[in-house]
Amino acid sequence: ELLVEGEEFAEAVVELVRRATPGDRAPVEMQDKPGPELLVEGETVLVKNSYDVKDQLRSIGFRFATESRAWTASVQHCLTLCPDFNAPEDINLQALLALDPTQVEVPQAEQVKPAPSIRIDNGEVLVLNSYPVKDSIRALGFRWDQERVCWKKSTEEVLEQVGVGDEGELTIEALLDVGRSLEASGVPAGGEAREAVVKTVDGEVRVFNSYAEKETLRGLGFRWNQEGAYWGKLLDELRSMPGAEA
């Protein structure tokens, strides 16, 4: 039986299930268990597979994040822990675990909530730590993956949505920009798309709330204006199209 604090509940449940589930070829106690892994994602340091070192991590200011299933701390906090850490890429697990907790000053406010981040995994884009931006992610058509505790969508579809040609160019910032634009253009989270509205402004035809018609508009030569959250095309260009009437 595991007695845990609230913030550790999710991690303890995972550990309990791991212990209780028999392996296909070996008893549980003989199975290889992945060791702790440190990752730096944006402004957050995450340590995964960290159950065996959780007490050490807690003692130096890390907090367990249920959504990412990892112990986390801000990059800024970690850089203050060790004189050898001069940049985020210097942060390493071995040095962190070697720290003397009695010599570490942990600010009372160091209750880190990991920033939203993305990861490419097996042909899918995964959005982690997404609660603050879930409406934008949902507007993009991502689906919730309960098992991995993240939002997911095929990489190919996401690249097309964001307008980049390579996974290396895909960032959480670019993804959220498009998601927020979609929200503004008529795709509220969990709701029905609003009715499209057409306006003519300064010689340009602008279509708002147009998510449902975006493919048709793209085919007609309309272009997405991210700042104004509308699809636009010059009125003169529209009039010159075959079959168009003034």
Side-chain angles (χ1 to χ4, degrees):
E1 183 177 354
L2 298 174
L3 301 178
V4 297
E5 299 177 8
E7 67 179 10
E8 302 171 51
F9 179 73
E11 187 186 26
V13 169
V14 172
E15 178 71 8
L16 190 60
V17 171
R18 186 194 65 77
R19 293 182 185 179
T21 304
D24 294 332
R25 288 171 289 186
V28 171
E29 60 271 13
M30 295 181 63
Q31 291 182 26
D32 292 332
K33 186 170 78 169
E37 176 189 11
L38 183 144
L39 303 168
V40 178
E41 296 184 353
E43 295 300 315
T44 304
V45 176
L46 303 91
V47 181
K48 294 182 175 291
N49 309 323
S50 52
Y51 190 80
D52 292 338
V53 297
K54 62 183 176 63
D55 292 335
Q56 292 164 274
L57 294 171
R58 187 197 295 112
S59 70
I60 58 174
F62 278 69
R63 295 285 180 177
F64 187 71
T66 304
E67 194 169 45
S68 56
R69 296 182 181 178
W71 284 81
T72 66
S74 68
V75 167
Q76 182 178 3
H77 173 65
C78 290
L79 290 175
T80 68
L81 295 177
C82 179
D84 293 333
F85 295 168
N86 298 309
E89 54 266 27
D90 296 330
I91 301 171
N92 65 84
L93 186 60
Q94 183 178 3
L96 289 174
L97 297 180
L99 293 170
D100 180 356
T102 64
Q103 302 300 314
V104 173
E105 183 177 349
V106 179
Q108 205 62 16
E110 186 62 28
Q111 307 242 343
V112 179
K113 290 187 177 180
S117 61
I118 60 174
R119 182 177 302 161
I120 310 296
D121 182 33
N122 197 28
E124 292 180 317
V125 176
L126 310 181
V127 182
L128 310 170
N129 312 317
S130 56
Y131 186 78
V133 296
K134 61 180 172 38
D135 290 344
S136 297
I137 297 303
R138 189 182 292 130
L140 282 161
F142 278 70
R143 295 181 180 275
W144 179 250
D145 187 319
Q146 183 68 38
E147 183 177 350
R148 290 185 285 185
V149 196
C150 65
W151 293 85
K152 67 179 182 180
K153 187 171 183 177
S154 82
T155 302
E156 184 178 349
E157 291 178 321
V158 174
L159 291 177
E160 182 178 354
Q161 275 186 307
V162 179
V164 297
D166 184 79
E167 296 176 2
E169 301 175 51
L170 188 61
T171 65
I172 185 66
E173 292 78 16
L175 195 64
L176 293 179
D177 280 347
V178 176
R180 292 179 184 121
S181 295
L182 290 177
E183 284 187 89
S185 67
V187 189
E192 296 294 331
R194 300 190 295 273
E195 184 178 352
V197 175
V198 181
K199 298 180 179 180
T200 302
V201 180
D202 296 330
E204 181 183 37
V205 177
R206 300 178 180 181
V207 186
F208 299 85
N209 308 335
S210 52
Y211 184 77
E213 294 83 20
K214 64 184 179 68
E215 296 302 332
T216 301
L217 292 169
R218 184 183 288 118
L220 289 170
F222 280 73
R223 296 188 178 184
W224 176 248
N225 183 301
Q226 186 164 304
E227 184 177 353
Y230 64 84
W231 289 85
K233 186 178 178 71
L234 292 177
L235 180 59
D236 288 343
E237 292 180 356
L238 199 57
R239 284 173 172 164
S240 67
M241 295 178 65
E245 297 181 2

